[in-house]
Amino acid sequence: MITSNRVRWHLGRVISRQFETGSAVRLELAVPTWPGNDAGAHLDIRLTAPGGYQASRSYSLASSGESTRVVLVVQELPGGEVSPFLVRQLAEGEEVEVQGPLGRFFVWIPAEPEQSPVQLIAGGSGVVPLFSMASARERELKGAEFRLLYSVRSPRDEFFADELAELSRTVVEIVYTRESAPGAGRPPGRLTREALAASTFPASLSPRIFVCGPTSFVEAVAGWLVELGHDPTQIRTERFGGSR
Amino acid sequence: MTHVDGNALAGAFATALGIEITVTVGRCRGCGSSFNLACAHVFITAMGAVMRCGHCQAVLGVIVRGFRETLVNLSGLDYIRVPRL
Protein backbone atom coordinates (compact mmCIF):
# COMPACT_ATOMS: atom_id res chain seq x y z
CA MET A 1 0.00 0.00 0.00
CA ILE A 2 1.30 3.41 -0.93
CA THR A 3 0.65 5.35 2.27
CA SER A 4 2.92 8.29 2.89
CA ASN A 5 2.48 9.99 -0.44
CA ARG A 6 1.50 13.61 -0.12
CA VAL A 7 -0.19 14.85 -3.23
CA ARG A 8 1.83 17.51 -5.04
CA TRP A 9 2.76 18.77 -8.47
CA HIS A 10 5.52 16.98 -10.33
CA LEU A 11 7.29 17.46 -13.62
CA GLY A 12 7.05 14.48 -15.95
CA ARG A 13 8.95 13.85 -19.18
CA VAL A 14 7.45 11.81 -22.00
CA ILE A 15 9.62 8.68 -22.37
CA SER A 16 7.52 7.00 -25.01
CA ARG A 17 4.27 7.46 -26.86
CA GLN A 18 2.43 5.05 -29.11
CA PHE A 19 -1.06 4.94 -30.52
CA GLU A 20 -3.21 2.52 -28.56
CA THR A 21 -6.08 2.87 -31.04
CA GLY A 22 -6.73 5.31 -33.88
CA SER A 23 -7.81 7.98 -31.40
CA ALA A 24 -5.98 7.13 -28.17
CA VAL A 25 -2.34 7.35 -27.20
CA ARG A 26 -0.37 5.44 -24.57
CA LEU A 27 2.06 7.76 -22.79
CA GLU A 28 4.87 6.67 -20.50
CA LEU A 29 6.16 9.49 -18.31
CA ALA A 30 9.32 9.58 -16.23
CA VAL A 31 8.45 11.47 -13.04
CA PRO A 32 11.57 11.49 -10.83
CA THR A 33 9.69 12.71 -7.74
CA TRP A 34 6.68 10.36 -8.11
CA PRO A 35 6.11 8.43 -4.83
CA GLY A 36 4.36 5.48 -6.47
CA ASN A 37 0.62 4.88 -6.63
CA ASP A 38 -2.06 2.36 -5.83
CA ALA A 39 -3.81 0.51 -8.67
CA GLY A 40 -6.79 2.56 -9.82
CA ALA A 41 -5.37 5.96 -8.84
CA HIS A 42 -5.27 8.88 -11.25
CA LEU A 43 -3.40 12.11 -11.84
CA ASP A 44 -4.21 15.56 -13.13
CA ILE A 45 -2.28 16.90 -16.12
CA ARG A 46 -1.98 20.68 -16.32
CA LEU A 47 -1.20 22.52 -19.53
CA THR A 48 -0.22 26.19 -19.53
CA ALA A 49 -0.66 28.38 -22.61
CA PRO A 50 1.91 31.12 -23.40
CA GLY A 51 -0.50 33.75 -22.02
CA GLY A 52 -0.74 31.95 -18.69
CA TYR A 53 -4.11 30.29 -19.25
CA GLN A 54 -4.17 26.86 -17.65
CA ALA A 55 -6.32 23.80 -18.21
CA SER A 56 -6.13 20.54 -16.27
CA ARG A 57 -7.81 17.17 -16.70
CA SER A 58 -7.81 13.89 -14.78
CA TYR A 59 -6.43 10.70 -16.31
CA SER A 60 -6.39 7.24 -14.78
CA LEU A 61 -3.07 5.47 -14.45
CA ALA A 62 -2.54 2.11 -16.12
CA SER A 63 0.49 1.53 -13.89
CA SER A 64 0.85 1.04 -10.14
CA GLY A 65 3.44 0.30 -7.49
CA GLU A 66 6.60 2.04 -6.39
CA SER A 67 7.90 3.26 -9.70
CA THR A 68 8.86 6.70 -10.98
CA ARG A 69 7.56 5.72 -14.42
CA VAL A 70 3.84 6.11 -14.95
CA VAL A 71 1.71 4.95 -17.86
CA LEU A 72 -1.58 6.43 -18.99
CA VAL A 73 -3.79 6.03 -22.03
CA VAL A 74 -5.52 9.17 -23.24
CA GLN A 75 -8.63 8.96 -25.41
CA GLU A 76 -9.05 11.96 -27.70
CA LEU A 77 -12.28 13.89 -27.17
CA PRO A 78 -12.86 15.89 -30.38
CA GLY A 79 -12.99 19.59 -29.54
CA GLY A 80 -11.46 18.99 -26.11
CA GLU A 81 -9.04 21.44 -24.52
CA VAL A 82 -6.43 18.97 -23.32
CA SER A 83 -6.81 15.50 -24.89
CA PRO A 84 -6.23 16.47 -28.58
CA PHE A 85 -2.93 18.05 -27.56
CA LEU A 86 -1.86 14.98 -25.59
CA VAL A 87 -2.94 12.57 -28.33
CA ARG A 88 -1.72 14.46 -31.41
CA GLN A 89 1.05 16.84 -30.37
CA LEU A 90 2.87 16.08 -27.13
CA ALA A 91 6.18 14.59 -28.26
CA GLU A 92 8.75 12.30 -26.68
CA GLY A 93 11.16 14.31 -24.52
CA GLU A 94 8.67 17.07 -23.74
CA GLU A 95 7.60 17.86 -20.20
CA VAL A 96 4.17 18.18 -18.61
CA GLU A 97 3.03 19.09 -15.11
CA VAL A 98 1.22 16.32 -13.25
CA GLN A 99 -0.46 16.31 -9.84
CA GLY A 100 -0.90 13.14 -7.87
CA PRO A 101 -1.22 10.40 -7.00
CA LEU A 102 -4.95 11.11 -6.61
CA GLY A 103 -7.85 9.06 -5.31
CA ARG A 104 -8.13 6.53 -2.49
CA PHE A 105 -11.70 5.42 -3.13
CA PHE A 106 -11.39 3.79 -6.54
CA VAL A 107 -8.26 1.77 -5.76
CA TRP A 108 -7.45 -1.89 -5.16
CA ILE A 109 -4.70 -2.64 -2.64
CA PRO A 110 -3.18 -6.12 -2.87
CA ALA A 111 -2.17 -6.40 0.80
CA GLU A 112 -5.75 -6.14 2.05
CA PRO A 113 -7.03 -9.46 3.38
CA GLU A 114 -9.58 -10.49 0.84
CA GLN A 115 -12.09 -13.31 1.14
CA SER A 116 -14.46 -12.24 -1.61
CA PRO A 117 -13.71 -12.19 -5.33
CA VAL A 118 -13.20 -8.97 -7.27
CA GLN A 119 -15.30 -8.07 -10.30
CA LEU A 120 -14.06 -5.34 -12.64
CA ILE A 121 -16.52 -3.82 -15.14
CA ALA A 122 -15.25 -1.38 -17.79
CA GLY A 123 -17.01 0.73 -20.39
CA GLY A 124 -14.71 2.04 -23.15
CA SER A 125 -11.64 3.85 -21.89
CA GLY A 126 -12.83 3.15 -18.33
CA VAL A 127 -10.75 0.00 -18.67
CA VAL A 128 -7.55 1.92 -17.79
CA PRO A 129 -7.76 1.89 -13.95
CA LEU A 130 -9.24 -1.63 -14.02
CA PHE A 131 -6.35 -2.87 -16.16
CA SER A 132 -4.08 -1.37 -13.50
CA MET A 133 -5.86 -3.43 -10.82
CA ALA A 134 -5.67 -6.63 -12.88
CA SER A 135 -1.95 -5.98 -13.46
CA ALA A 136 -1.40 -5.47 -9.74
CA ARG A 137 -3.24 -8.74 -9.07
CA GLU A 138 -1.00 -10.42 -11.63
CA ARG A 139 2.04 -9.56 -9.49
CA GLU A 140 0.61 -11.34 -6.41
CA LEU A 141 0.98 -15.08 -6.00
CA LYS A 142 -2.08 -15.45 -3.80
CA GLY A 143 -5.25 -13.44 -3.55
CA ALA A 144 -8.81 -13.00 -4.61
CA GLU A 145 -10.29 -14.33 -7.83
CA PHE A 146 -10.56 -11.58 -10.44
CA ARG A 147 -12.89 -11.17 -13.40
CA LEU A 148 -12.98 -8.31 -15.90
CA LEU A 149 -15.99 -7.56 -18.08
CA TYR A 150 -15.00 -5.03 -20.75
CA SER A 151 -17.62 -3.36 -22.95
CA VAL A 152 -16.07 -1.71 -26.00
CA ARG A 153 -17.29 -0.62 -29.44
CA SER A 154 -15.16 -2.87 -31.62
CA PRO A 155 -11.84 -4.74 -31.64
CA ARG A 156 -10.23 -1.63 -33.13
CA ASP A 157 -11.23 0.39 -30.07
CA GLU A 158 -9.87 -2.09 -27.55
CA PHE A 159 -7.16 -0.91 -25.13
CA PHE A 160 -4.44 -3.30 -23.87
CA ALA A 161 -5.51 -6.03 -26.29
CA ASP A 162 -2.22 -7.94 -25.99
CA GLU A 163 -1.86 -7.47 -22.25
CA LEU A 164 -5.43 -8.56 -21.52
CA ALA A 165 -4.90 -11.74 -23.52
CA GLU A 166 -1.87 -12.56 -21.37
CA LEU A 167 -3.49 -12.11 -17.95
CA SER A 168 -3.33 -15.38 -16.06
CA ARG A 169 -5.05 -14.38 -12.80
CA THR A 170 -8.01 -12.45 -14.22
CA VAL A 171 -10.72 -14.00 -16.36
CA VAL A 172 -11.42 -11.49 -19.13
CA GLU A 173 -14.66 -11.26 -21.06
CA ILE A 174 -15.14 -8.67 -23.78
CA VAL A 175 -18.49 -7.45 -25.06
CA TYR A 176 -18.36 -5.63 -28.42
CA THR A 177 -21.20 -3.15 -28.73
CA ARG A 178 -20.99 -2.08 -32.39
CA GLU A 179 -18.79 -4.50 -34.30
CA SER A 180 -17.52 -7.94 -33.29
CA ALA A 181 -14.25 -9.64 -33.99
CA PRO A 182 -14.37 -11.81 -37.14
CA GLY A 183 -15.77 -15.21 -36.26
CA ALA A 184 -16.94 -14.06 -32.84
CA GLY A 185 -19.56 -16.26 -31.27
CA ARG A 186 -22.09 -13.56 -30.57
CA PRO A 187 -23.31 -10.56 -32.53
CA PRO A 188 -22.37 -7.07 -31.37
CA GLY A 189 -24.76 -5.37 -29.01
CA ARG A 190 -24.97 -3.29 -25.89
CA LEU A 191 -24.54 -4.89 -22.52
CA THR A 192 -27.84 -5.92 -20.98
CA ARG A 193 -28.74 -6.80 -17.41
CA GLU A 194 -29.00 -10.45 -18.38
CA ALA A 195 -25.61 -10.48 -20.11
CA LEU A 196 -24.14 -8.70 -17.10
CA ALA A 197 -25.56 -11.35 -14.78
CA ALA A 198 -24.22 -14.15 -16.98
CA SER A 199 -20.69 -12.70 -17.20
CA THR A 200 -20.01 -11.59 -13.62
CA PHE A 201 -19.68 -13.13 -10.15
CA PRO A 202 -23.14 -13.70 -8.66
CA ALA A 203 -24.30 -11.73 -5.63
CA SER A 204 -24.18 -14.94 -3.56
CA LEU A 205 -20.34 -14.73 -3.66
CA SER A 206 -20.43 -11.12 -2.33
CA PRO A 207 -17.83 -9.82 -4.80
CA ARG A 208 -16.22 -6.41 -4.45
CA ILE A 209 -17.07 -4.59 -7.66
CA PHE A 210 -15.32 -1.74 -9.47
CA VAL A 211 -17.17 -0.06 -12.34
CA CYS A 212 -15.55 2.62 -14.53
CA GLY A 213 -16.74 4.18 -17.76
CA PRO A 214 -18.93 6.88 -19.23
CA THR A 215 -21.52 8.18 -16.75
CA SER A 216 -24.50 6.59 -18.53
CA PHE A 217 -22.73 3.20 -18.62
CA VAL A 218 -21.72 3.33 -14.96
CA GLU A 219 -25.19 4.31 -13.78
CA ALA A 220 -26.90 1.61 -15.87
CA VAL A 221 -24.50 -1.09 -14.67
CA ALA A 222 -24.57 0.00 -11.01
CA GLY A 223 -28.39 0.01 -11.10
CA TRP A 224 -28.50 -3.49 -12.61
CA LEU A 225 -26.01 -4.80 -10.04
CA VAL A 226 -28.26 -3.63 -7.21
CA GLU A 227 -31.28 -5.18 -8.94
CA LEU A 228 -29.30 -8.44 -9.20
CA GLY A 229 -28.92 -8.45 -5.43
CA HIS A 230 -25.42 -7.00 -4.98
CA ASP A 231 -24.73 -4.97 -1.83
CA PRO A 232 -24.46 -1.30 -2.87
CA THR A 233 -21.64 -0.75 -0.36
CA GLN A 234 -19.53 -3.31 -2.26
CA ILE A 235 -19.83 -1.39 -5.53
CA ARG A 236 -17.28 1.34 -6.25
CA THR A 237 -17.79 3.57 -9.25
CA GLU A 238 -15.85 6.11 -11.29
CA ARG A 239 -17.62 8.13 -14.00
CA PHE A 240 -15.82 10.16 -16.60
CA GLY A 241 -18.68 11.93 -18.34
CA GLY A 242 -19.55 11.61 -22.03
CA SER A 243 -19.18 8.50 -24.14
CA ARG A 244 -15.80 6.83 -24.69
CA MET B 1 -24.58 18.41 -19.42
CA THR B 2 -23.20 15.07 -18.26
CA HIS B 3 -21.90 14.84 -14.74
CA VAL B 4 -18.83 13.00 -13.52
CA ASP B 5 -18.24 12.20 -9.84
CA GLY B 6 -16.19 13.25 -6.83
CA ASN B 7 -13.17 11.24 -8.00
CA ALA B 8 -12.56 14.04 -10.49
CA LEU B 9 -12.15 16.62 -7.69
CA ALA B 10 -9.32 14.85 -5.87
CA GLY B 11 -6.68 17.18 -7.32
CA ALA B 12 -8.62 20.37 -6.69
CA PHE B 13 -9.30 19.53 -3.02
CA ALA B 14 -5.76 18.27 -2.43
CA THR B 15 -4.45 21.64 -3.61
CA ALA B 16 -6.99 23.82 -1.81
CA LEU B 17 -7.45 22.03 1.52
CA GLY B 18 -4.86 19.24 1.61
CA ILE B 19 -7.56 16.58 2.00
CA GLU B 20 -8.33 13.44 -0.01
CA ILE B 21 -11.92 14.17 -1.00
CA THR B 22 -12.68 10.73 -2.46
CA VAL B 23 -12.58 8.99 0.92
CA THR B 24 -13.99 11.94 2.85
CA VAL B 25 -17.53 11.21 4.03
CA GLY B 26 -20.08 14.01 3.87
CA ARG B 27 -23.66 14.29 5.06
CA CYS B 28 -26.10 15.98 2.73
CA ARG B 29 -27.97 18.85 4.35
CA GLY B 30 -30.85 18.24 1.94
CA CYS B 31 -31.71 14.59 2.59
CA GLY B 32 -29.44 13.56 5.46
CA SER B 33 -27.70 10.73 3.65
CA SER B 34 -23.99 10.15 4.24
CA PHE B 35 -21.60 8.92 1.57
CA ASN B 36 -18.03 9.02 0.32
CA LEU B 37 -17.72 12.24 -1.65
CA ALA B 38 -16.27 10.14 -4.52
CA CYS B 39 -19.93 9.25 -5.10
CA ALA B 40 -21.20 12.85 -5.32
CA HIS B 41 -22.34 13.94 -8.75
CA VAL B 42 -20.03 16.62 -10.10
CA PHE B 43 -20.71 19.11 -12.88
CA ILE B 44 -17.53 20.70 -14.25
CA THR B 45 -17.38 23.79 -16.44
CA ALA B 46 -14.56 26.18 -17.29
CA MET B 47 -15.71 28.30 -14.33
CA GLY B 48 -15.57 25.63 -11.67
CA ALA B 49 -17.23 22.52 -10.31
CA VAL B 50 -20.56 22.00 -8.55
CA MET B 51 -21.05 18.95 -6.33
CA ARG B 52 -24.56 17.54 -5.97
CA CYS B 53 -26.01 14.79 -3.81
CA GLY B 54 -26.44 11.55 -5.77
CA HIS B 55 -29.62 10.79 -3.80
CA CYS B 56 -31.57 14.07 -3.77
CA GLN B 57 -29.58 16.27 -6.19
CA ALA B 58 -29.20 19.09 -3.64
CA VAL B 59 -26.11 21.25 -4.19
CA LEU B 60 -23.45 20.13 -1.71
CA GLY B 61 -20.76 22.60 -2.61
CA VAL B 62 -18.80 24.51 -5.21
CA ILE B 63 -15.08 24.71 -5.93
CA VAL B 64 -13.54 27.33 -8.21
CA ARG B 65 -9.82 27.29 -9.01
CA GLY B 66 -8.51 30.80 -9.64
CA PHE B 67 -5.01 31.98 -10.48
CA ARG B 68 -4.10 33.00 -6.93
CA GLU B 69 -6.64 31.21 -4.78
CA THR B 70 -9.32 28.55 -4.74
CA LEU B 71 -12.85 29.29 -3.57
CA VAL B 72 -14.50 26.44 -1.66
CA ASN B 73 -18.15 26.41 -0.58
CA LEU B 74 -19.42 23.33 1.27
CA SER B 75 -22.64 24.86 2.56
CA GLY B 76 -24.81 21.95 1.38
CA LEU B 77 -23.03 19.54 3.72
CA ASP B 78 -23.79 19.24 7.45
CA TYR B 79 -20.24 18.06 8.02
CA ILE B 80 -17.36 16.21 6.42
CA ARG B 81 -15.39 13.40 8.04
CA VAL B 82 -11.81 13.43 6.78
CA PRO B 83 -9.78 10.26 7.41
CA ARG B 84 -6.33 10.68 8.93
CA LEU B 85 -3.91 9.27 6.40
Side-chain angles (χ1 to χ4, degrees):
Chain A
M1 181 174 176
I2 311 294
T3 48
S4 61
N5 47 10
R6 275 187 63 82
V7 173
R8 48 161 287 203
W9 285 96
H10 308 265
L11 208 52
R13 183 182 296 277
V14 180
I15 296 298
S16 73
R17 54 167 290 141
Q18 61 189 88
F19 276 96
E20 187 75 17
T21 68
S23 58
V25 71
R26 185 189 303 212
L27 298 173
E28 182 174 6
L29 306 178
V31 188
T33 53
W34 190 256
N37 62 274
D38 292 322
H42 65 274
L43 50 64
D44 284 0
I45 293 186
R46 179 167 69 188
L47 303 179
T48 305
Y53 173 75
Q54 293 185 323
S56 70
R57 291 294 183 277
S58 296
Y59 294 99
S60 287
L61 292 162
S63 56
S64 67
E66 294 186 31
S67 171
T68 55
R69 296 273 179 102
V70 300
V71 178
L72 49 152
V73 182
V74 179
Q75 172 70 50
E76 181 174 22
L77 300 174
E81 252 186 340
V82 174
S83 65
F85 174 81
L86 298 179
V87 173
R88 304 286 167 190
Q89 294 184 46
L90 182 68
E92 285 179 13
E94 291 191 306
E95 289 182 327
V96 288
E97 289 180 289
V98 299
Q99 184 190 24
L102 298 171
R104 288 175 186 268
F105 175 74
F106 201 80
V107 297
W108 179 73
I109 296 164
E112 285 178 350
E114 197 139 37
Q115 306 301 321
S116 47
V118 174
Q119 178 69 55
L120 312 174
I121 304 174
S125 53
V127 73
V128 177
L130 304 183
F131 171 73
S132 179
M133 294 178 194
S135 297
R137 173 68 188 87
E138 204 71 7
R139 295 195 293 268
E140 304 293 312
L141 288 178
K142 291 195 289 184
E145 272 189 273
F146 265 54
R147 288 183 77 163
L148 166 64
L149 177 61
Y150 179 15
S151 165
V152 63
R153 289 182 180 196
S154 75
R156 286 193 311 281
D157 295 298
E158 204 182 320
F159 288 3
F160 312 112
D162 296 341
E163 291 90 340
L164 290 177
E166 285 172 7
L167 290 176
S168 63
R169 297 190 163 107
T170 298
V171 175
V172 179
E173 183 155 352
I174 301 179
V175 173
Y176 297 108
T177 60
R178 302 277 178 83
E179 189 186 313
S180 295
R186 68 178 169 200
R190 287 197 167 209
L191 191 64
T192 61
R193 193 180 75 170
E194 288 61 42
L196 178 75
S199 304
T200 52
F201 289 116
S204 57
L205 295 178
S206 305
R208 295 180 61 196
I209 306 175
F210 294 88
V211 189
C212 185
T215 300
S216 56
F217 175 87
V218 170
E219 299 204 337
V221 168
W224 289 334
L225 290 168
V226 173
E227 289 170 16
L228 291 168
H230 291 278
D231 177 356
T233 64
Q234 292 284 83
I235 304 170
R236 296 204 165 194
T237 52
E238 186 165 83
R239 304 160 177 83
F240 58 73
S243 64
R244 296 192 147 229
Chain B
M1 66 182 291
T2 311
H3 61 274
V4 293
D5 59 35
N7 292 300
L9 296 183
F13 274 93
T15 301
L17 302 179
I19 64 173
E20 172 49 73
I21 195 74
T22 64
V23 287
T24 292
V25 172
R27 186 168 79 182
C28 172
R29 185 163 284 180
C31 67
S33 50
S34 295
F35 42 85
N36 275 306
L37 290 175
C39 304
H41 291 186
V42 171
F43 297 79
I44 299 179
T45 70
M47 291 175 285
V50 176
M51 268 195 298
R52 286 181 177 269
C53 176
H55 302 280
C56 76
Q57 300 301 316
V59 174
L60 304 173
V62 175
I63 183 163
V64 180
R65 286 167 116 164
F67 275 111
R68 293 181 184 79
E69 59 186 17
T70 302
L71 180 151
V72 181
N73 169 348
L74 297 176
S75 59
L77 290 161
D78 284 327
Y79 57 74
I80 56 174
R81 299 203 320 260
V82 184
R84 284 190 198 160
L85 299 175

